[in-house]
C-alpha cells in the first residue's frame, strides 16, 4: 500500500471498536463495564488527538450478537462523540462483524491519505457463525493488513485462539518463553501472555478499563505519528505498538470487586 508524499496535516485515523454484545455479556456486569470503560476513555483519546493535530481521530463501533450491526456507523470525531450504551442479548456473530468492518476498509471509502486504522475486538466468548470467512474477508483489504489490530478477552471463557487469529501471529513466538519484543525496539522481559501482540486478558472492570484506555491513548498516539513511523520502517511494516504500562503488568490488576 503506498504512503505517497501527501500532505501530512489532518490525515484521518479511523478507530473502530468491535464489541461482543452476546447474552453472556449481560452476566456479572460485563456489558456495563464495557460501556463505562469506553465512555471513560474518550477524554483521554480526545486529548491525544489534540496533541497530534496532523491526525483527525474518527471513531466508529460495531456490535455483534444474533447479527452484527453498526452501533456508531458515522465516523465521528472523538471530540464530538457521545457514547450510547450497548445492550447485551443473543449469540455471537463475530464473523459477520468482521465482514462489516471489511466493507468500510475498502478504498474507497477509505482515503488513500489515511493513517493505518486501529481495530479493537472485545469478546467474552466464542463465535457462533463463520469466523474464518469473516476474517478472510477482512484480511483481503490492504487497510486491514496495515491496521493496528488489538483484542481484549473479557473473562476466561473468551476464545483466545480466535482473538489471536484476528491479531495475527505473535512476532515473539520464536523468543524464549516470557520474552517479548518491546515497541521501543529493545527487548524487555515481560510475562508471557501480556504482549500487545497477544489477546489482552481482562479479568475485571478495572483491567478492562486500563486496556481500553491504553488502546485509545497510547496506541492512538503511536498511530498518529507518521513521521516516526516512516523513519525506520519499510512501507509494508506495521507501526510499532507502545509497551503496555507497568500497571498492566502487575498481577494485582487482576484483583477487583468482581472477577469474570
Amino acid at each position: 500500500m503506498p504512503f505517497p508524499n501527501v500532505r501530512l496535516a489532518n490525515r484521518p485515523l479511523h478507530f473502530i471498536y468491535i464489541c461482543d454484545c452476546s447474552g453472556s455479556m449481560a452476566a456479572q456486569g460485563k456489558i456495563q463495564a464495557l460501556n463505562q470503560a469506553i465512555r471513560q476513555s474518550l477524554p483521554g483519546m480526545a486529548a491525544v488527538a489534540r496533541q497530534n493535530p496532523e491526525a483527525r481521530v474518527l471513531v466508529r463501533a460495531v456490535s455483534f450478537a444474533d447479527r452484527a450491526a453498526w452501533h456508531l456507523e458515522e465516523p465521528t470525531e472523538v471530540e464530538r462523540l457521545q457514547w450510547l450504551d450497548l445492550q447485551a442479548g443473543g449469540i455471537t456473530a463475530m464473523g459477520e462483524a468482521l465482514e462489516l468492518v471489511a466493507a468500510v476498509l475498502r478504498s474507497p471509502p477509505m482515503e488513500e491519505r489515511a493513517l493505518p486504522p486501529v481495530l479493537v475486538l472485545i469478546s467474552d466468548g466464542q463465535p457462533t457463525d463463520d469466523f474464518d470467512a469473516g476474517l478472510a474477508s477482512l484480511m483481503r483489504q490492504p487497510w486491514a493488513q496495515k491496521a493496528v489490530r488489538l483484542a481484549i478477552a473479557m473473562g476466561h471463557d473468551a476464545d483466545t485462539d480466535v482473538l489471536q487469529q484476528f491479531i495475527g501471529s505473535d512476532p515473539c513466538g520464536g523468543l524464549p518463553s516470557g520474552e517479548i519484543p518491546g515497541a521501543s525496539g529493545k527487548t524487555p522481559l515481560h510475562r508471557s501472555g501480556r504482549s500487545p501482540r497477544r489477546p489482552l486478558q481482562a479479568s475485571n472492570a478495572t483491567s478492562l478499563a486500563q486496556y481500553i484506555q491504553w488502546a485509545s491513548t497510547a496506541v492512538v498516539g503511536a498511530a498518529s505519528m507518521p513521521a516516526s513511523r516512516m523513519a525506520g520502517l519499510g512501507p509494508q511494516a506495521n507501526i510499532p505498538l507502545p509497551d503496555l504500562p507497568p500497571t498492566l503488568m502487575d498481577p494485582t490488576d487482576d484483583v477487583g470487586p468482581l472477577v469474570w
Side-chain angles (χ1 to χ4, degrees):
M1 177 177 299
F3 285 91
N5 295 323
V6 297
R7 180 170 59 92
L8 296 183
N10 205 23
R11 295 170 64 183
L13 192 165
H14 293 274
F15 186 104
I16 303 179
Y17 287 112
I18 309 168
C19 300
D20 187 342
C21 292
S22 58
S24 58
M25 289 287 289
Q28 299 177 298
K30 283 186 278 191
I31 196 70
Q32 292 90 341
L34 177 57
N35 284 315
Q36 183 70 6
I38 293 176
R39 186 176 289 108
Q40 287 181 342
S41 74
L42 296 178
M45 187 189 291
V48 171
R50 288 192 295 271
Q51 294 162 10
N52 296 277
E54 68 275 13
R56 180 163 52 98
V57 180
L58 302 169
V59 181
R60 277 182 284 194
V62 170
S63 64
F64 56 95
D66 288 337
R67 301 298 304 270
W70 284 104
H71 179 66
L72 180 61
E73 183 169 15
E74 187 69 20
T76 304
E77 293 187 11
V78 62
E79 293 86 353
R80 299 191 296 109
L81 178 59
Q82 293 186 336
W83 183 254
L84 299 177
D85 281 353
L86 297 159
Q87 305 297 323
I91 52 178
T92 315
M94 188 185 296
E96 188 177 336
L98 300 187
E99 296 268 7
L100 278 184
V101 176
V104 300
L105 293 185
R106 298 190 177 105
S107 295
M110 282 289 287
E111 311 91 328
E112 286 191 2
R113 61 191 296 271
L115 293 161
V118 179
L119 312 179
V120 182
L121 174 60
I122 306 160
S123 176
D124 76 331
Q126 302 178 351
T128 52
D129 64 351
D130 194 343
F131 169 81
D132 291 338
L135 182 62
S137 178
L138 179 69
M139 297 311 297
R140 280 195 292 271
Q141 306 307 318
W143 278 112
Q145 298 170 23
K146 295 300 299 181
V148 179
R149 300 189 305 277
L150 304 172
I152 301 175
M154 292 184 67
H156 296 283
D157 292 329
D159 190 333
T160 54
D161 290 338
V162 161
L163 297 180
Q164 185 70 65
Q165 290 180 55
F166 170 76
I167 297 171
S169 59
D170 185 351
C172 65
L175 295 176
S177 177
E179 187 174 358
I180 65 173
S184 61
K186 301 176 182 177
T187 310
L189 291 176
H190 288 167
R191 288 184 302 157
S192 177
R194 292 302 187 91
S195 163
R197 294 297 188 190
R198 296 178 185 171
L200 303 172
Q201 188 75 51
S203 299
N204 55 39
T206 301
S207 56
L208 175 67
Q210 289 176 322
Y211 287 137
I212 288 180
Q213 186 74 18
W214 173 78
S216 61
T217 54
V219 175
V220 166
S224 301
M225 293 185 288
S228 61
R229 176 182 181 276
M230 294 177 180
L233 298 173
Q236 299 303 317
N238 292 100
I239 69 166
L241 283 175
D243 290 330
L244 288 167
T247 53
L248 295 185
M249 311 305 294
D250 188 331
T252 59
D253 70 357
D254 288 337
V255 177
L258 182 62
V259 177
W260 297 322

